[in-house]
Amino acid sequence: MSFPDFSTLAWWRAIATALIVALMGSYAQARGGDVPQEFLARVVHVHDGDTLWVEPEEGGPKIKLRLDGVDAPEICQAGGEASRDALARHLQDQPVQVRTRHLDRYGRPLARLKVEEGDVGAWLVREGHAWSYRYQNSSGPYAMEELLARALRRGLFAQPSEEPRDFRRRHGPCPQR
């Protein structure tokens, strides 16, 4: 039996690569994983128009999610409570299919939710309870639903309203309740 030549650069590179891969995997797992995940859950609490808690069907702790692709009004902003209440009526105690993409800057999984009627984010924007989330030069994943809600003057689009990011810039975060 021969032993590896520990003095070769190739051997040390192989060891370093293996360690980096192992550490990255355990880091992602410790953070809840930035790897897309799909699971079934039940909505147990709606915090605001784009943040809610679900209980995975397979058990485990409740998970706080941020809806991916939408920006609902802040709870202290005009339309904030109406947005939260509409989402709660639509989802409370409902089974949902959850697909997470990655974690937001607050450590919450960004998730797309589906119910029997379809994509929850699309519904929320189409009904005028949220904006399609804009990022850089993109009008967001629900731009067509927002155009429809604006044309029909639904919810937030019935009158001029300030987008949440502008509201936060001008007023700061809502007081904690």
Side-chain angles (χ1 to χ4, degrees):
M1 171 162 83
S2 65
F3 291 96
D5 181 2
F6 295 114
S7 65
T8 67
L9 186 58
W11 189 85
W12 286 108
R13 279 189 184 148
I15 293 297
T17 302
L19 283 172
I20 290 170
V21 167
L23 288 173
M24 286 174 56
S26 57
Y27 175 74
Q29 188 175 14
R31 285 191 60 205
D34 257 5
V35 178
Q37 296 179 6
E38 282 192 47
F39 59 94
L40 296 175
R42 182 166 300 282
V43 175
V44 293
H45 176 71
V46 174
H47 178 74
D48 60 26
D50 53 25
T51 309
L52 48 96
W53 289 83
V54 298
E55 190 170 50
E57 199 174 77
E58 72 260 2
K62 295 177 178 103
I63 303 168
K64 186 177 187 180
L65 302 174
R66 167 82 162 70
L67 290 178
D68 191 12
V70 302
D71 199 7
E74 297 297 308
I75 201 70
C76 62
Q77 181 181 359
E81 290 182 4
S83 177
R84 177 203 57 207
D85 294 348
L87 187 61
R89 279 191 308 275
H90 192 63
L91 293 182
Q92 193 66 42
D93 294 322
Q94 293 294 315
V96 292
Q97 179 183 1
V98 178
R99 176 160 175 76
T100 64
R101 186 165 54 101
H102 61 80
L103 302 177
D104 70 5
R105 65 180 170 201
Y106 303 107
R108 302 172 297 188
L110 283 172
R112 295 274 176 112
L113 301 183
K114 288 193 177 179
V115 292
E116 281 186 23
E117 299 83 30
D119 185 303
V120 172
W123 172 84
L124 201 59
V125 175
R126 190 173 50 249
E127 294 299 313
H129 300 298
W131 287 262
S132 180
Y133 189 83
R134 289 159 181 71
Y135 182 72
Q136 295 177 344
N137 294 326
S138 166
S139 51
Y142 301 117
M144 294 304 293
E145 288 84 354
E146 185 175 322
L147 283 173
L148 175 65
R150 285 179 183 279
L152 297 174
R153 302 180 55 78
R154 288 184 176 158
L156 299 166
F157 309 113
Q159 54 195 352
S161 54
E162 186 174 29
E163 291 189 32
R165 71 177 58 191
D166 298 330
F167 181 86
R168 287 186 297 270
R169 233 179 265 132
R170 287 179 357 101
H171 302 285
C174 292
Q176 298 292 323
R177 298 198 230 179

